Amino acid sequence: ACEAQCPVGVEHLPLIIGARRGLASNGEAPDALAAVYNHLDRRGNIWGLGADLRQKFVQSAGVEIFDAARHDYLVWLGCAGSFEADFQKSLRSLFDILRAHGVSFGVLAKERCTGDVAKRTGNEYQFQELARANIEDFTAAGVTKIVTSCPHCLRTIGTDYRAFGFSAEVIHSASLVAGLTRTMAMPGAGIVTFHDPCYLGRYAGVTEEPRDLLARFGATVHEPDRHGANPFCCGAGGGLLFEEHEEGRRISQERFEQLQRTGAATIVTACPFCSIMLKGAQASA
């Protein structure tokens, strides 16, 4: 937000990430991140959970293993999609929509984190290890088109991986579904408000597609003070999802109250981590 507002174009984020790299390389990263780095090293995901849980979800959802000869898209589940039960509900709906519109898709037999958290918190070595391993898997499988419901994965695979020579088409599920359902309409979803994820609205410029979908299926969208390409962060970005000792008023609580003030009874978002943060703010309200 500061970079977008700066009248002389000062780019402070590379400086912050550079400082974090220095701290991480010296073993001085915040204590909360040590467990995350360990999870990424040992289990390949930010939660430290076993791959068998992801496999159970893939099997129960009836998803095929990606085959470039048979499938249009690789669906990238990400750490949230592989293990977070609430987010998996939305993925099941996505799978149903894709099937109903004749879009063939599959998932990798195994996944590891994109390295988003490692990169944003300055652990560049770990990020590069994860990125190279994922790109090897994509290349071996012949992946050219990827759809993901996680804006963090969208940014990391679609933009950051280009530095390693990977340039597949990467699209957020909201954009894909908006295109597939362009001629559809249903009444009566009521009044909602939409929270724009930073990596979807600000970074990817995807702001209209989610709103078009909501309107198409009968929702009236009441906008919060900050929305679209200038959203207010949920508090999870930059590795702060794992910050346990945030001082003062929590960012997630501030944002939750902004959304409440719209008068909408339902908050909609397009990011699993935004969902986690806002639900946490609701629980502590």
Side-chain angles (χ1 to χ4, degrees):
C2 293
E3 287 190 0
Q5 296 296 323
C6 183
V8 293
V10 172
E11 297 182 354
H12 68 283
L13 279 176
L15 301 177
I16 292 175
I17 298 300
R20 289 180 173 184
R21 285 177 186 167
L23 292 170
S25 64
N26 291 332
E28 298 177 36
D31 292 340
L33 292 175
V36 181
Y37 295 157
N38 186 48
H39 294 334
L40 289 171
D41 280 334
R42 296 182 59 218
R43 296 294 183 91
N45 65 80
I46 57 177
W47 317 117
L49 297 172
D52 59 309
L53 296 176
R54 175 185 182 273
Q55 184 62 23
K56 288 179 181 178
F57 168 63
V58 170
Q59 290 178 344
S60 67
V63 182
E64 298 177 345
I65 300 304
F66 180 81
D67 182 340
R70 296 189 299 114
H71 297 131
D72 299 318
Y73 284 93
L74 170 75
V75 175
W76 180 261
L77 301 179
C79 295
S82 296
F83 302 105
E84 214 274 314
D86 281 348
F87 188 53
Q88 288 174 350
K89 295 176 184 176
S90 68
L91 287 179
R92 289 178 186 272
S93 296
L94 172 64
F95 300 156
D96 289 342
I97 293 169
L98 295 180
R99 289 169 181 143
H101 287 81
V103 178
S104 59
F105 62 94
V107 299
L108 292 180
K110 296 181 180 179
E111 265 189 24
R112 62 181 64 79
C113 180
T114 62
D116 166 72
V117 172
K119 182 171 184 62
R120 313 303 167 203
T121 60
N123 194 335
E124 184 67 18
Y125 175 80
Q126 188 173 58
F127 164 69
Q128 292 194 18
E129 290 286 297
L130 291 166
R132 290 193 174 97
N134 284 327
I135 291 170
E136 286 179 7
D137 289 346
F138 292 149
T139 303
V143 174
T144 59
K145 294 194 292 184
I146 300 172
V147 58
T148 180
S149 291
C150 177
H152 293 255
C153 296
L154 178 75
R155 170 71 180 183
T156 306
I157 299 174
T159 300
D160 297 325
Y161 280 17
R162 291 177 188 168
F164 302 90
F166 184 70
S167 58
E169 174 189 333
V170 188
I171 188 171
H172 190 271
S173 57
S175 299
L176 181 59
V177 172
L180 294 174
T181 61
R182 189 170 289 113
T183 60
M184 299 177 64
M186 292 179 65
I191 298 174
V192 306
T193 186
F194 183 72
H195 166 77
D196 292 272
C198 292
Y199 280 112
L200 192 62
R202 187 181 298 282
Y203 281 86
V206 177
T207 59
E208 296 308 313
E209 291 92 332
R211 289 170 170 81
D212 289 345
L213 278 173
L214 290 169
R216 196 172 298 158
F217 293 96
T220 300
V221 180
H222 286 193
E223 299 286 10
D225 293 337
R226 294 271 297 275
H227 62 273
N230 184 35
F232 191 95
C233 182
C234 72
L240 291 178
L241 176 67
F242 305 97
E243 175 56 57
E244 299 173 350
H245 304 291
E246 184 178 341
E247 295 183 4
R249 186 171 176 79
R250 297 186 71 86
I251 297 171
S252 58
Q253 189 64 40
E254 180 68 31
R255 182 52 169 172
F256 179 73
E257 292 180 7
Q258 291 176 8
L259 295 164
Q260 274 190 316
R261 287 196 292 271
T262 65
T266 301
I267 297 172
V268 180
T269 188
C271 173
F273 300 115
C274 292
S275 178
I276 289 171
M277 296 299 285
L278 293 174
K279 286 176 181 176
Q282 180 187 38
S284 62

